[in-house]
Amino acid sequence: MRAFLSPPFLNGDDERALVAAALDSNYIAPCGPMVDALEREVAARLGFADVLATVSGTMALGLLARALGIGPGDEVIASDLTFIASVAPFVTLGARPVFVDAAPGTWCMDVALAERALAEHPGARVLIATDLYGQCCDVDALAALCARRGVAFVVDAAEALGATCRGRAAGKGALAAVYSLNGNKIITAGGGGLLCSDDAALLARCRKLAGQAREPVPWYEHRELGTHGRLGNVPAAIALAQFRHLDDALRDKAAVWAAWLARLPAWAVPMPTAAYGVPNRWLTVATLSGRDPFRAVTLLAERGIEARPLWKPMHLQPVFRGVPAVLSGVGERLFAEGICLPSGRGLAADIMDEAIGVLEAL
Ligand SMILES: *Cc1c(COP(=O)(O)O)cnc(C)c1O
């Protein structure tokens, strides 16, 4: 590949220096000073009371689902246009999902359809909305809906680190928010996740579950089952160095987005930007009206340029056949027309020009 979709980006020697410090301290363990510093600095910058660093975003969502007491038969309302890791941790615990389509103006969960889903499923326990491609869902509107019905509202902000909604960090205002530090996200630990909340009791419970649910006594005492979910000190060192350069990442991603926008032909329409927020521009995404994005992905790959189709809506996934959904057709249209363009920081102008040539010739 000459241009990956969203490759990791190292900030000079900063990652190397913190990894060396972690190795020198011999804290090569799922705890340690880098983990503590990462959790503290993320909480301070994003404005959450507490943060738990986990081995993946998926793990963070799984811990959250456990802590919320999700079990067999519980209804969970979720975004339809998302990556499957938004819902899989809930469904694995026996939850029954209900999918809600995307709004045309944001591509995130449609608030009016969410209201309908809540009315049609009055027993729903949790609503989880995805901040799609780095754009926040309407946290305030969804939080208000959920508060009225006593439904726990959480945000899958895996793709949205650094994005804001009405001036607050992605997911702030929900019961909890989950970010991903996977290799393709805006910053990375190789693999990792951040579970953020203002609810200290909820995060304490997640922290306990992430440590094999060991009771706080000197011997190994277990009253329930947990898992091994905490991030290691060495990947935390990478994440910490990356997090300290989050503003650089946001600046570079915005520059890539602007460079694509300056080049896109009129029939390629970029993902709309919601008036209520500032996206992190994790990926540059557009719809190609009347042209085949799947063919574009193939043709670009032949030139070593990695593009991807949009997430395939959950209600179209074979694993979710027969699952209830409140649909408007927006997600299906976006999947049929959309393309994620290579969005690596510092993406070369000649690669963009070449890719535009491929799109023009479709
Ligand atoms: C990446 C991603 C996840 C999962 O995060 P991992 O760290 O890869 O486990 C969950 N939801 C969405 C929307 C994502 O993009």
Side-chain angles (χ1 to χ4, degrees):
M1 277 291 167
R2 293 157 62 216
F4 285 103
L5 187 73
S6 184
F9 181 95
L10 294 178
N11 301 280
D13 285 331
D14 288 12
E15 286 82 0
R16 207 180 305 275
L18 288 191
V19 168
L23 295 179
D24 290 345
S25 73
N26 208 38
Y27 268 110
I28 305 168
C31 62
M34 296 296 171
V35 178
D36 297 342
L38 178 67
E39 292 178 345
R40 204 170 50 238
E41 290 187 27
V42 171
R45 164 157 181 170
L46 302 185
F48 290 99
D50 198 6
V51 171
L52 173 67
T54 57
V55 294
S56 68
T58 307
M59 172 61 75
L61 288 161
L63 292 167
L64 187 54
R66 279 285 310 277
L68 292 171
I70 292 301
D74 286 336
E75 283 183 311
V76 172
I77 296 175
S79 294
D80 184 51
L81 186 60
T82 187
F83 181 48
I84 196 158
S86 286
V87 281
F90 292 85
V91 178
T92 306
L93 291 172
R96 288 185 293 144
V98 176
F99 296 118
V100 175
D101 215 328
T106 66
W107 296 14
C108 295
M109 185 184 278
D110 187 307
V111 174
L113 300 185
E115 187 165 17
R116 212 162 87 201
L118 285 163
E120 288 172 7
H121 300 271
R125 297 272 325 277
V126 173
L127 184 147
I128 177 161
T130 299
D131 290 345
L132 199 75
Y133 299 122
Q135 168 146 276
C136 292
C137 62
D138 190 339
V139 173
D140 303 276
L142 292 170
L145 283 184
C146 290
R148 274 207 293 281
R149 292 187 173 268
V151 173
F153 170 48
V154 298
V155 174
D156 179 354
E159 304 172 358
L161 185 60
T164 56
C165 178
R166 299 184 182 91
R168 298 191 298 176
K172 175 81 183 177
L175 179 60
V178 167
Y179 295 101
S180 168
L181 300 172
N182 198 37
N184 59 341
K185 298 303 198 306
I186 187 164
I187 67 162
T188 185
L194 298 165
L195 175 51
C196 306
S197 180
D198 290 328
D199 185 327
L202 179 71
L203 267 212
R205 172 115 184 87
C206 291
R207 199 168 254 121
K208 179 187 176 196
L209 291 171
Q212 301 287 17
R214 189 181 167 190
E215 298 298 328
V217 292
W219 59 93
Y220 289 92
E221 180 84 8
H222 303 277
R223 296 186 187 149
E224 60 180 338
L225 298 179
T227 185
H228 179 166
R230 297 199 65 178
L231 187 65
N233 200 52
V234 177
I238 303 174
L240 183 59
Q242 294 255 301
F243 186 71
R244 288 175 177 168
H245 285 281
L246 181 58
D247 284 331
D248 299 332
L250 293 169
R251 182 201 59 217
D252 289 354
K253 287 286 189 180
V256 171
W257 165 269
W260 275 119
L261 252 60
R263 287 171 170 79
L264 286 178
W267 46 265
V269 181
M271 177 179 184
T273 301
Y276 55 67
V278 181
N280 70 359
R281 302 301 187 202
W282 170 53
L283 293 184
T284 298
V285 190
T287 51
L288 312 179
S289 57
R291 289 162 175 83
D292 181 356
F294 300 93
R295 192 170 137 71
V297 168
T298 304
L299 294 176
L300 288 168
E302 284 169 7
R303 292 166 178 260
I305 301 172
E306 188 183 30
R308 295 268 177 93
L310 267 61
W311 300 128
K312 183 176 179 178
M314 292 300 110
H315 79 274
L316 296 177
Q317 299 292 351
V319 71
F320 291 136
R321 191 164 295 141
V323 163
V326 182
L327 302 175
S328 58
V330 170
E332 283 192 24
R333 179 181 67 78
L334 294 176
F335 177 61
E337 296 185 350
I339 187 168
C340 300
L341 296 164
S343 305
R345 296 168 62 182
L347 179 65
D350 62 326
I351 297 268
M352 287 190 240
D353 292 338
E354 188 179 332
I356 292 291
V358 170
L359 297 183
E360 296 272 15
L362 277 175

